[in-house]
Each structure stands twice: as structure tokens, then as C-alpha cells.
């Protein structure tokens, strides 16, 4: 039951370039979407979120885009930095409910 | 910056033994959660807790599992009789509620190894 799908298990990006991480979802009831970042031996760290009433949310180098008709969201990181190397989880929730996570995408920032 | 604290960081136990995983959520948060991540798999919801009772639980959270908030600060997950397949990272999370309810903050996790 993969309600949140991250189809790329890994992604390599040159330092300074844009990193684009993609996520698809199947449940049209989701109304809140989040991105978490995880380093080894640590818990997921909240990065940025977006409500379903918006199509874009920006916070510094991080921007999340939501395309509700396509049930697709993406996280843009620009410019990419070495410290951005981590596993990124896309997640979704229905208000008043649990978070459903994708399997994650491992981002490698190359020097 | 306030954070969710989990202890121990690693727990090794024999199959059939009881374990208690401990969490101290962020102090002004009202909603508490447990998730787990089996090695190589995704993070899965186990249970949510609000106002001193379970608000939702997944099919994983069977009668072997229980949660408790024994005092004003701790939030515990008990596994009564551990099985090999309970080996996983267990993450505690908390959220403030209101408009920020969906933003959950996670602890570093407890690695449970069942032998």
C-alpha cells in the first residue's frame, strides 16, 4: 500500500547546482505534505511543508511545489551544498491524522 | 532548540522479553506518536496519543504493544513479548497541535535488536 511514492532511490547532484526530488501520491484525501531530511543515526528532521490549498512554499534554499491535479510534489534545493547529502522523505497526511512516509531518496552532493 | 529525546539509543533483548522504549517529547507539545523503520524499509506509523488516550493505531500495533504517558514528561512504548520481527528503529515524535499539528518533530530513535 504505497500511498506516497518516491521512485528514485538515489540522486547525485553537483555542488552549487539545483537538486530536484520528486514524490507522487495516490490518496486524494491528503491535504498536507511535508519533506523530512534524515542523516544516519538520527531521526527525521522536518524541512518544509505545504498545505493542499497552495502550490508553492519557499524557505531559503528550499522550495516545495505541489501539483494537485497530477498528485505530484517536488522539493527543489538551490544551490545544493555538501551538508544537503542525506535521505529525503516525502510525507503526507490528512488533517488530524498520522503521517504517511515515502521510502526516501538518498541525495549525494558531489564536490 | 527544544528536541524530542529517546532512550536508550540501542536496546538488545531476547525474544519473548518485554521492552520499554522511552521518550521525552517537546514540553509544550500535545500530540505524541510512535513510528518504526525496519532496516531498508520506510518509516511506518504505529500509534498516536492525545489527551491521555490512543487516538489512532495501525494494524502493526497489536495487543503486544502499549503506550503510556506515566507523568507529565515521559511517553513510553512497551512491547510485551518481543519477536524477531520487532527488530527495527523506533522513533518517537511530537507535535504542538492547532495549525502546526501536522508538523511532527522526531527523536533520534531507539534501535531495538531482538535476538
Amino acid at each position: 500500500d504505497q500511498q506516497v511514492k518516491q521512485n528514485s532511490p538515489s540522486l547525485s547532484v553537483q555542488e552549487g547546482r539545483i537538486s530536484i526530488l520528486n514524490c507522487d501520491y495516490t490518496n486524494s484525501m491528503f491535504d498536507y505534505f511535508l519533506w523530512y531530511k534524515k542523516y544516519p543515526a538520527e531521526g527525521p528532521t522536518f524541512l518544509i511543508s505545504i498545505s493542499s490549498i497552495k502550490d508553492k512554499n519557499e524557505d531559503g534554499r528550499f522550495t516545495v511545489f505541489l501539483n494537485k491535479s497530477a498528485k505530484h510534489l517536488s522539493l527543489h534545493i538551490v544551490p545544493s551544498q555538501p551538508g544537503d547529502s542525506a535521505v529525503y522523505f516525502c510525507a503526507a497526511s490528512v488533517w488530524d491524522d498520522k503521517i504517511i512516509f515515502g521510502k526516501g531518496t538518498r541525495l549525494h552532493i558531489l564536490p | 532548540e527544544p528536541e524530542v529525546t529517546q532512550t536508550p539509543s540501542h536496546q538488545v533483548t531476547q525474544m519473548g522479553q518485554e521492552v520499554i522504549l522511552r521518550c521525552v517529547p517537546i514540553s509544550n507539545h500535545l500530540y505524541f506518536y510512535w513510528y518504526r523503520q525496519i532496516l531498508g524499509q520506510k518509516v511506518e506509523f504505529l500509534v498516536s496519543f492525545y489527551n491521555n488516550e490512543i487516538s489512532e493505531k495501525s494494524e502493526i500495533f497489536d495487543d503486544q504493544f502499549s503506550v503510556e504517558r506515566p507523568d507529565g514528561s515521559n511517553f513510553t512504548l512497551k512491547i510485551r513479548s518481543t519477536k524477531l520481527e520487532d527488530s527495527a528503529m523506533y522513533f518517537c515524535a511530537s507535535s504542538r497541535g492547532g495549525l502546526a499539528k501536522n508538523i511532527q518533530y522526531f527523536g533520534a530513535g531507539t534501535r531495538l535488536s531482538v535476538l
Side-chain angles (χ1 to χ4, degrees), chain B residues 51-77:
Chain B
N51 200 25
N52 280 320
E53 59 183 29
I54 290 173
S55 42
E56 186 175 358
K57 57 184 180 179
S58 72
E59 58 274 10
I60 303 167
F61 194 89
D62 61 22
D63 292 344
Q64 294 300 311
F65 292 86
S66 62
V67 289
E68 200 176 33
R69 190 156 159 80
D71 53 42
S73 59
N74 291 285
F75 180 50
T76 61
L77 174 70

Side-chain angles (χ1 to χ4, degrees), chain B residues 11-17 82-84 87 112-115:
Chain B
Q11 174 87 50
V12 181
T13 189
Q14 295 288 327
M15 192 169 59
Q17 295 296 303
T82 50
K83 302 189 278 281
L84 294 176
S87 295
L112 176 65
S113 300
V114 182
L115 306 177

Side-chain angles (χ1 to χ4, degrees), chain B residues 4-54:
Chain B
V4 177
T5 306
Q6 289 187 244
T7 55
S9 56
H10 190 191
Q11 174 87 50
V12 181
T13 189
Q14 295 288 327
M15 192 169 59
Q17 295 296 303
E18 174 183 287
V19 293
I20 297 176
L21 310 183
R22 301 181 192 280
C23 170
V24 179
I26 295 172
S27 62
N28 63 348
H29 283 191
L30 302 175
Y31 296 82
F32 312 109
Y33 308 84
W34 284 100
Y35 291 80
R36 79 171 185 192
Q37 185 181 28
I38 294 171
L39 189 64
Q41 299 186 24
K42 61 181 179 178
V43 178
E44 299 175 289
F45 168 79
L46 291 178
V47 66
S48 57
F49 192 86
Y50 170 71
N51 200 25
N52 280 320
E53 59 183 29
I54 290 173

Side-chain angles (χ1 to χ4, degrees), chain A:
Chain A
D1 176 20
Q2 277 202 73
Q3 297 187 64
V4 178
K5 302 178 191 178
Q6 292 177 261
N7 291 321
S8 299
S10 69
L11 175 69
S12 295
V13 174
Q14 209 76 35
E15 182 179 352
R17 299 285 189 103
I18 183 170
S19 295
I20 300 176
L21 296 104
N22 292 302
C23 177
D24 297 295
Y25 62 95
T26 56
N27 188 345
S28 56
M29 297 297 290
F30 287 143
D31 58 5
Y32 204 80
F33 303 90
L34 311 96
W35 284 94
Y36 282 83
K37 174 179 173 179
K38 187 179 180 304
Y39 293 118
E42 293 185 13
T45 301
F46 171 71
L47 202 54
I48 192 169
S49 62
I50 188 167
S51 160
S52 61
I53 61 173
K54 294 187 172 184
D55 55 18
K56 178 182 172 182
N57 188 27
E58 193 171 347
D59 183 2
R61 296 186 298 115
F62 302 93
T63 303
V64 56
F65 295 93
L66 175 63
N67 181 335
K68 279 183 65 178
S69 60
K71 294 195 179 71
H72 177 84
L73 65 154
S74 60
L75 174 68
H76 293 211
I77 307 173
V78 55
S80 300
Q81 297 174 354
D84 296 331
S85 293
V87 177
Y88 288 78
F89 291 99
C90 174
S93 71
V94 178
W95 182 253
D96 267 2
D97 211 326
K98 58 194 177 284
I99 288 179
I100 305 293
F101 284 86
K103 288 189 173 181
T105 296
R106 184 176 300 278
L107 177 64
H108 302 270
I109 304 302
L110 307 171

